[in-house]
């Protein structure tokens, strides 16, 4: 097996079709199909289900996708000439990072660790790219169920409602879940923490607008198509003239955690980041 087998599989997984993947890789479709079969033969499992009109990954394929992505990310890092002088610490986050504590964290890091660049990367993914090897450590909200991760609780964030600025809801000083139930709810299905389970079973909203990132979420609310629920950190990093944020009095807070992969050599600066994050959080409370 060679790296080209992993790159071929990941391209197929991203494109969802052999034809598009072959065009992206600038190779013929038969050659790409042979490469995929070689990989499946080596692993002894079927990675791609070809029985449906739309190509889909099997359960084994979905598991292997993360492993392959992490392996290629490690190779790319090892072959990056910059890593010979300073190995950056990559901090992933799917939406508002550390809220209004983000800038203090970055400034403190630059002061205390000038030889180790801290790269903040927004990746709209449930683990902010952590399981795929795109980052070394991640700021995650809500329950973390991905296997093989170590987590450290930083704080609990209060939930707030995000409503169109010109709506009747914006006239209230605070809101409840029942106040929002009559509106369609914007739900980020990729990295959000809002689900219908927040509401009692008999009083759940009847409509939802599914979005895949924070920008789509903000647009749906600003346009008056939906309301949303988020954490207090969002209003600091994503202020919008057409959106009003109001305290949500009856929704449980959201845990904010630092997470990193276990079982693999972690970046040596991860313990320093964990310590500094706790200090920044404590200083702002």
């Amino acid at each position: 097996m060679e790296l080209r087998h992993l790159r071929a599989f990941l391209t197929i997984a991203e494109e969802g079709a052999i034809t598009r993947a072959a065009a992206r890789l600038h190779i013929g479709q038969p050659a790409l199909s042979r490469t995929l079969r070689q990989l499946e033969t080596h692993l002894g499992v079927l990675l791609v289900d070809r029985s449906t009109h739309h190509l889909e990954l099997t359960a084994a394929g979905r598991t292997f996708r993360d492993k392959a992505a992490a392996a290629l990310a490690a190779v790319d890092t090892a072959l990056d000439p910059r890593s010979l002088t300073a190995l950056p610490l990559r901090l992933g986050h799917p939406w508002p990072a550390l809220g209004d504590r983000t800038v203090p964290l970055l400034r403190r890091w630059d002061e205390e660790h000038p030889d180790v660049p801290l790269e903040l990367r927004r990746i709209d993914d449930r683990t902010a790219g952590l399981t795929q090897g795109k980052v070394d450590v991640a700021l995650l909200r809500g329950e973390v169920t991905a296997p093989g991760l170590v987590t450290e609780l930083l704080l609990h964030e209060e939930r707030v409602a995000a409503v169109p600025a010109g709506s009747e809801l914006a006239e209230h000083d605070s809101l409840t879940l029942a106040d929002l139930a009559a509106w369609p709810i914007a739900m980020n299905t990729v990295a959000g923490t809002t689900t219908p389970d927040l509401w009692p079973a008999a009083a759940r909203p009847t409509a939802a607008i599914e979005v895949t990132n924070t920008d789509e979420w903000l647009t749906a609310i600003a346009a008056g198509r939906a309301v949303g629920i988020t954490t207090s950190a969002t209003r600091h990093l994503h202020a919008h003239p057409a959106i009003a944020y109001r305290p949500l009095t009856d929704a449980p807070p959201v845990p904010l955690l630092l997470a990193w992969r276990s079982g693999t050599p972690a970046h040596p600066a991860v313990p320093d980041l964990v310590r500094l994050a706790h200090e920044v959080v404590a200083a702002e409370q």
Side-chain angles (χ1 to χ4, degrees):
M1 290 295 99
E2 302 173 0
L3 291 179
R4 64 182 178 88
H5 291 87
L6 301 185
R7 297 191 191 279
F9 169 70
L10 290 176
T11 305
I12 292 171
E14 292 174 3
E15 294 294 338
I18 296 288
T19 302
R20 291 197 299 270
R24 177 173 156 186
L25 293 169
H26 304 292
I27 62 175
Q29 182 177 339
L32 182 58
S33 296
R34 285 195 301 271
T35 300
L36 175 60
R37 286 196 300 271
Q38 290 169 354
L39 180 61
E40 290 177 324
T41 299
H42 175 79
L43 295 174
V45 295
L46 191 67
L47 299 175
V48 176
D49 184 358
R50 306 168 181 79
S51 63
T52 60
H53 178 70
H54 178 72
L55 181 149
E56 294 182 356
L57 298 184
T58 63
R62 291 191 295 272
T63 299
F64 184 70
R65 176 181 55 193
D66 289 344
K67 294 180 179 295
L72 281 179
V75 171
D76 290 340
T77 298
L79 296 179
D80 187 345
R82 296 173 301 173
S83 66
L84 299 178
T85 55
L87 185 64
L89 178 60
R90 303 164 300 171
L91 175 59
H93 68 98
W95 31 303
L98 202 56
D100 58 347
R101 299 176 174 91
T102 304
V103 171
L105 175 66
L106 295 177
R107 287 177 176 172
R108 285 278 306 275
W109 182 268
D110 290 345
E111 293 172 359
E112 299 183 17
H113 303 277
D115 297 331
V116 182
L118 178 59
E119 298 179 354
L120 190 65
R121 300 185 180 183
R122 174 182 159 184
I123 300 176
D124 291 307
D125 171 74
R126 181 63 61 183
T127 65
L130 189 57
T131 58
Q132 300 175 27
K134 295 180 179 179
V135 297
D136 304 296
V137 61
L139 287 161
L140 304 178
R141 287 172 171 83
E143 183 182 6
V144 177
T145 59
L149 298 184
V150 179
T151 60
E152 177 94 6
L153 177 66
L154 292 178
L155 74 156
H156 285 88
E157 293 178 330
E158 297 300 323
R159 277 189 167 98
V160 299
V163 302
S167 67
E168 180 183 352
L169 293 176
E171 299 175 2
H172 296 264
D173 293 331
S174 63
L175 295 166
T176 66
L177 290 170
D179 293 330
L180 305 181
W183 282 69
I185 308 297
M187 295 187 179
N188 186 332
T189 58
V190 174
T193 59
T194 301
T195 70
D197 293 336
L198 277 178
W199 286 265
R204 289 175 179 169
T206 57
I209 295 179
E210 293 188 356
V211 299
T212 59
N213 57 59
T214 303
D215 299 320
E216 294 176 2
W217 183 85
L218 292 168
T219 300
I221 298 168
R225 298 177 178 178
V227 298
I229 297 176
T230 185
T231 73
S232 54
T234 303
R235 62 186 176 192
H236 295 292
L237 287 190
H238 297 288
H240 195 293
I243 296 177
Y245 293 99
R246 297 291 181 265
L248 197 57
T249 60
D250 59 347
V254 177
L256 172 62
L257 310 103
L258 272 176
W260 58 95
R261 298 187 302 276
S262 64
T264 59
H267 191 291
V270 167
D272 292 327
L273 180 63
V274 174
R275 174 190 55 78
L276 188 58
H278 277 292
E279 291 179 4
V280 170
V281 167
E284 296 291 328
Q285 288 181 339

